[in-house]
Amino acid sequence: MPVQNQPEYTDLIVTTPAPHVLQVTLDRPKAYNALCSNLLHELADVLEKATDDPSIRAVVLTGGPIVFAAGADIKEMADHTATTVKEDSRAGYWAVVRNFSKPIIAAVNGFCLGGGNELAMHADIIIAGHNAEFGQPEINLGIIPGAGGTQRLLRTVGKSRAMQMILADERITAQEAQQYGLVSEVVPAELCVERAVKLATRIASKPPLAVQRAKQSILQAYELPLADGLRFERENFCALFDTEDRLEGIAAFTEKRKPHFKGK
Amino acid sequence: MNYQSILFSADKGVATITLNRPDKLNSFTDEMHGELRDAFKTIAKDETIRCVLITGAGRGFCAGQDLSHLASEDARAEQDLGETLDKNYNRLIRTIRSLPKPVVCAVNGVAAGAGANLALACDIVLAACSASFIQAFCKIGLIPDAGGTWTLPRLVGSARALALAMLGDKISAEEAHDWGMIWKTFDDETLMPEAQGMALHLATQPTQALALIKRAFNASTSNTLDQQLDLERDLQTIAGRTSDYHEGVDAFLNKRPAEFSGK
């Protein structure tokens, strides 16, 4: 069953803005799209279904025009203790996002803070509206980022900048985020989602298995020493030679025609 | 609205801000900055406001920061100028530069220090013939702020900008006009009617396009030609989706005056 026909979500809007592209819009405007457990649960649910849906080849993840997501839901967090927070189901939802095999493109307008920024960093590509602002303000609450903020930000913007953002709660603009490599493009806010959908459409026109193996290989660079990473890449490279799409891609190239990829 | 240091009114799409401490040449205080911030909040929110006009009450436009509370050495030692800029001037200048509506400034008299640079941060600057501009900062051991070191060289070139900043010479409205620092000068008595006429005109124009023009020009100062061409493409895409664009083309083709809604 296609994803868009699933029961209504309360904290997300799920649409198909282009063939093979799923758009997931965080939709809790009254709470500045704070990532409450239900929202994360719904997001994990959408992604799990998209994993099994061969018609979905890329996902665009976005929020509102003024807020992408302002962080975790602080009200939910208030009553936790060290023990209960450890058993919280949220970690499982984050793992679904982390392990999602198809490309995710985040289109970020406005505030992208705390858990919001961590969610954006789970995406494979971030496109920012010119009004976007990125930060990790957890320190103000006596806590620290808990969904990869300290790790992903460090690897993206470098130690000194990550420390400044996390220890001092200094925010960065879209332009700075691009300079530091956190986002790949800054576009007018009005065109941000449109640009992300275009990019997703372009990716969706490529052979899906190759796209997924490429994504996996790139992400493995964070996990492995270079020599192991190169071996991992080589395995993925070889595995693709048994796919129909590889034969189709090469045939279309030599016959000077457009390829038709099936994801097989 | 009940302001003490400024006058604020909105009529026929034009919001008029008058700096209103005439006995102190409208010099800036914390209170005036607070009221300006409040007025600009209203301007940003109110869709019926499609142009802003800034001027001064009395014989001066604005003499810059009010220094009267700095008589004692202790008071001077205590103040943090950087903090004052962050809190007041920088926010004001950023607000004006990023406001998606045209901002016209009518410089009715002397514009000194941050007062001069407030005027120069506006989109279109008009001045009375008797008005003058002074980068007074160097005379008290400071540097031009409120955007002066950015705006001035772009308006008049480095040679003139540096000399103005280092000598602190007063230049007349006419000279400022000759140098391309401001748009036009008018006789003292015609300045306000002319400025109001221009503001009223701008308030009937395609506001979104004007805002996009402003955005493009702002970005051009740090962009390469390639980046700027991409930005023009993106902003034109947005402009092409406004109803004012459709109205403009339709009016042109049907040889009638366009009626822009600002949307």
Side-chain angles (χ1 to χ4, degrees):
Chain A
M1 205 195 310
V3 168
Q4 57 270 32
N5 293 344
Q6 293 298 320
E8 291 281 309
Y9 294 108
T10 56
D11 295 336
L12 301 177
I13 299 171
V14 181
T15 54
T16 317
H20 306 304
V21 176
L22 190 73
Q23 181 177 326
V24 180
T25 306
L26 310 180
D27 186 39
R28 289 187 78 207
K30 279 185 191 152
Y32 302 104
N33 286 339
L35 308 176
C36 63
S37 295
N38 184 62
L39 185 149
L40 287 175
H41 174 68
E42 291 184 1
L43 180 61
D45 189 60
V46 170
L47 294 182
E48 273 171 345
K49 282 168 182 144
T51 304
D52 301 333
D53 184 345
S55 76
I56 302 302
R57 295 182 180 178
V59 173
V60 169
L61 178 63
T62 191
I66 301 166
V67 182
F68 175 76
D73 195 313
I74 292 166
K75 280 183 208 148
E76 273 184 11
M77 245 193 296
D79 295 332
H80 270 303
T81 65
T83 323
T84 60
V85 76
K86 233 183 217 169
E87 288 157 5
D88 191 9
S89 47
R90 297 167 62 93
Y93 305 143
W94 281 106
V96 174
V97 187
R98 190 170 68 234
N99 297 324
F100 185 59
S101 57
K102 301 175 183 182
I104 303 180
I105 297 148
V108 175
N109 279 325
F111 294 108
C112 183
L113 303 175
N117 192 40
E118 290 172 305
L119 178 58
M121 288 192 294
H122 272 70
D124 301 303
I125 299 169
I126 306 178
I127 306 290
H130 75 287
N131 65 345
E133 187 179 315
F134 300 84
Q136 299 285 161
E138 288 88 346
I139 203 84
N140 302 324
L141 303 174
I143 54 171
I144 65 167
T150 66
Q151 302 303 300
R152 287 203 168 82
L153 205 54
L154 164 76
R155 284 163 166 79
T156 314
V157 304
K159 177 181 136 194
S160 192
R161 177 62 62 178
M163 290 284 186
Q164 212 171 327
M165 290 177 72
I166 292 169
L167 306 188
D169 175 30
E170 291 214 333
R171 319 272 168 94
I172 59 172
T173 63
Q175 288 72 24
E176 287 167 327
Q178 187 181 26
Q179 261 178 340
Y180 307 143
L182 178 61
V183 313
S184 55
E185 267 184 46
V186 179
V187 298
E190 301 89 314
L191 301 179
C192 186
V193 174
E194 189 176 322
R195 171 64 188 139
V197 170
K198 264 189 198 164
L199 189 59
T201 307
R202 187 177 163 86
I203 293 172
S205 75
K206 310 296 178 196
L209 294 176
V211 166
Q212 289 178 34
R213 296 271 182 172
K215 166 174 170 163
Q216 220 183 355
S217 301
I218 294 168
L219 289 180
Q220 278 300 316
Y222 286 129
E223 313 285 342
L224 301 174
L226 180 60
D228 294 337
L230 291 170
R231 263 193 294 278
F232 187 84
E233 179 198 77
R234 184 75 197 164
E235 277 168 28
N236 275 322
F237 178 79
C238 296
L240 288 165
F241 276 71
D242 280 344
T243 64
E244 284 178 33
D245 282 350
R246 200 267 309 179
L247 297 172
E248 166 66 6
I250 289 173
F253 180 81
T254 49
E255 291 161 24
K256 294 179 181 164
R257 60 168 174 83
K258 266 198 164 179
H260 296 286
F261 296 120
K262 294 180 198 153
K264 286 181 185 170
Chain B
M1 264 146 280
N2 217 354
Y3 294 133
Q4 304 302 311
S5 304
I6 65 170
L7 301 173
F8 180 69
S9 62
D11 186 33
K12 297 197 181 84
V14 176
T16 305
I17 295 174
T18 309
L19 308 177
N20 192 32
R21 300 179 71 229
D23 52 327
K24 303 279 185 192
L25 285 174
N26 305 320
S27 56
F28 286 111
T29 58
D30 274 5
E31 181 186 65
M32 188 190 276
H33 276 293
E35 293 177 5
L36 284 168
R37 275 197 291 281
D38 197 65
F40 272 105
K41 259 186 211 158
T42 306
I43 290 166
K45 264 192 255 161
D46 188 340
E47 278 188 23
T48 67
I49 294 174
R50 292 166 63 187
C51 181
V52 181
L53 174 60
I54 301 178
T55 190
R59 65 196 169 88
F61 171 71
C62 176
Q65 174 70 25
D66 187 330
L67 303 174
S68 59
H69 65 290
L70 295 174
S72 77
E73 209 169 302
D74 285 350
R76 293 194 289 278
E78 233 172 66
Q79 66 165 355
D80 181 334
L81 290 174
E83 202 180 287
T84 307
L85 289 180
D86 259 346
K87 186 175 104 193
N88 291 332
Y89 292 95
N90 292 358
R91 281 165 77 176
L92 175 63
I93 301 302
R94 285 192 178 109
T95 301
I96 291 173
R97 299 298 300 190
S98 63
L99 188 75
K101 311 175 183 197
V103 183
V104 176
C105 187
V107 182
N108 53 299
V110 65
N117 293 336
L118 161 66
L120 299 179
C122 297
D123 300 322
I124 302 181
V125 189
L126 312 174
C129 285
S130 70
S132 56
F133 296 82
I134 316 168
Q135 295 293 326
F137 304 90
C138 60
K139 297 187 172 177
I140 56 167
L142 293 181
I143 70 158
D145 58 25
T149 62
W150 189 89
T151 333
L152 263 190
R154 285 172 169 79
L155 290 169
V156 301
S158 294
R160 284 168 169 163
L162 267 173
L164 285 175
M166 290 186 160
L167 298 171
D169 281 357
K170 175 195 276 197
I171 66 157
S172 67
E174 198 182 338
E175 220 169 348
H177 176 247
D178 288 346
W179 288 2
M181 193 196 284
I182 61 173
W183 171 234
K184 268 183 186 169
T185 59
F186 294 102
D187 289 339
D188 287 18
E189 52 283 7
T190 55
L191 172 70
M192 279 322 286
E194 291 281 357
Q196 280 156 352
M198 177 182 285
L200 282 169
H201 164 75
L202 286 168
T204 64
Q205 294 305 294
T207 309
Q208 290 207 40
L210 303 187
L212 294 169
I213 290 171
K214 196 165 160 172
R215 234 160 98 185
F217 276 84
N218 277 341
S220 75
T221 55
S222 56
N223 272 353
T224 62
L225 174 61
D226 266 337
Q227 291 168 325
Q228 193 68 13
L229 288 170
D230 285 349
L231 182 66
E232 284 180 5
R233 174 202 61 205
D234 290 344
L235 298 184
Q236 199 72 293
T237 304
I238 296 168
R241 288 173 185 168
T242 61
S243 57
D244 277 346
Y245 165 66
H246 294 281
E247 164 64 11
V249 173
D250 190 68
F252 177 82
L253 294 177
N254 291 301
K255 296 182 180 152
R256 61 171 176 86
E259 279 182 39
F260 295 116
S261 64
K263 292 192 171 134

